[in-house]
Amino acid sequence: MKQFTDRVAVITGGAGGVGAAMAERFATAGMSVVIADLAEDRVATTVAKLAGQGARAIGLPTDVGDLASVEALRDAAYSHFGAVHVLCNNAGVGAGAEGKMWEHTLNDWGWGLNVNLWGMIHGVKAFVPAMLEGGEPGHIVNTSSGNGGIAPLPNTAVYATSKAAVTAFTEVLYGQLHSIDANIGVSVLYPGPNVLKTGLLESSGHRPDAWANDTPRTTPYTTIASFDAAMLAAGVDLTYTPVEFVAEATFDAIRANRFWILPESERIDQRIRTRADSMLARSQPTYMEA
């Protein structure tokens, strides 16, 4: 995409963190913005902020794990603005499952995969046919993570599994749209290069009753403080990346039609090399912490 003025962007998980930063960046480029998020009050606050900055913005509370809800989002976007040119499948949660992966409840797995993976599936299912029919240049951005998409952290089974799947899903989406010469670009986003402070660790506060666990939790949910401690122990740089940096990288990738949104980082590049070397050597996965 080269033209952004008077184009329309839909962002799921758009009421905070990376999603809200994307919305502001797109609005600055002259785009109309549709904000989707699970929390109605946060949607209203974000839309009001954008409108106060002179942006054309609407919002809709959306459960990306429910196809009907995503279809309602699509219908609202087309009804209000007449088209969708950029779709950012950005909504995600940290499942906060306890123990080892074989100890996780099925609802922990279900909730994490329902949002992080099925949310992408529903977004593509609902929007791509309409975008193809519209015939105008477009772009789809799917938010993955270095944790899973590049190399999984061993204590985040649900999240890492879902994000690894998002990367493969996005690669196939790119291949299939390319095979029909669609005028729709595709990118997979790895926010970074360092850790971001977003609402991901607060996901448990928005966990739907349908995915609640019957058994009481025996350990505290991860907090920013405990996450920081774990990252430091793993040797991860805790120089936080501003969400505005990620939004700018996303905008640049859409403009350049770049598939990998992967900010330069020697630490990340080394993880990619180490994983590739392990695969080529048919050896044990040395890129993972024990």
Side-chain angles (χ1 to χ4, degrees):
M1 279 185 63
K2 301 298 182 183
Q3 173 68 32
F4 292 90
T5 303
D6 297 327
R7 297 298 190 259
V8 182
V10 175
I11 305 112
T12 69
V18 169
M22 286 177 178
E24 291 198 24
R25 181 62 185 91
F26 295 154
T28 299
M31 300 187 76
S32 300
V33 178
V34 181
I35 300 296
D37 210 291
L38 193 60
E40 184 173 2
D41 56 339
R42 291 180 42 162
V43 170
T45 298
T46 304
V47 169
K49 179 181 178 182
L50 289 165
Q53 295 169 350
R56 298 178 301 276
I58 64 169
L60 192 71
T62 305
D63 177 3
V64 297
D66 176 21
L67 177 59
S69 185
V70 179
E71 290 175 334
L73 172 68
R74 175 203 60 205
D75 293 346
Y78 277 87
S79 175
H80 198 89
F81 293 119
V84 170
H85 302 91
V86 172
L87 170 65
C88 294
N89 288 312
N90 174 71
V93 296
E98 293 184 278
K100 304 299 184 185
M101 62 191 304
W102 52 87
E103 298 169 334
H104 295 350
T105 69
L106 291 183
N107 272 4
D108 286 333
W109 284 102
W111 180 46
L113 294 174
N114 194 51
V115 176
N116 296 351
L117 179 56
W118 276 101
M120 304 276 172
I121 296 169
H122 292 155
V124 167
K125 177 70 173 174
F127 280 89
V128 168
M131 292 172 72
L132 288 170
E133 184 178 351
E136 296 182 310
H139 207 97
I140 298 168
V141 178
N142 292 336
T143 301
S144 183
S145 172
N147 179 13
I150 295 174
L153 296 175
N155 292 326
T156 58
V158 177
Y159 186 79
T161 297
S162 66
K163 292 303 184 179
V166 166
T167 295
F169 176 81
T170 309
E171 288 177 301
V172 174
L173 176 64
Y174 169 84
Q176 293 193 353
L177 286 173
H178 184 73
S179 73
I180 62 171
D181 295 322
N183 201 14
I184 300 175
V186 177
S187 298
V188 61
L189 168 63
Y190 299 100
N194 299 315
V195 180
L196 282 77
K197 280 191 177 180
T198 67
L200 192 67
L201 295 177
E202 301 166 1
S203 304
S204 58
H206 305 290
R207 184 165 177 161
D209 291 341
W211 295 109
N213 285 325
D214 294 332
T215 55
R217 190 175 179 87
T218 60
T219 60
Y221 279 107
T222 300
T223 63
I224 289 291
S226 63
F227 179 77
D228 286 356
M231 292 299 98
L232 285 171
V236 175
D237 184 357
L238 281 180
T239 303
Y240 284 96
T241 297
V243 291
E244 293 79 10
F245 175 88
V246 180
E248 189 64 39
T250 301
F251 183 80
D252 287 345
I254 295 171
R255 183 167 49 190
N257 194 23
R258 187 183 307 118
F259 180 80
W260 301 102
I261 309 178
L262 182 63
E264 292 186 9
S265 163
E266 180 53 38
R267 176 181 62 84
I268 292 174
D269 291 355
Q270 186 56 49
R271 293 185 76 190
I272 295 171
R273 293 188 199 100
T274 303
R275 185 180 196 182
D277 288 346
S278 172
M279 294 172 71
L280 291 170
R282 278 70 174 175
S283 64
Q284 302 293 60
T286 55
Y287 57 88
M288 293 180 64
E289 298 290 331

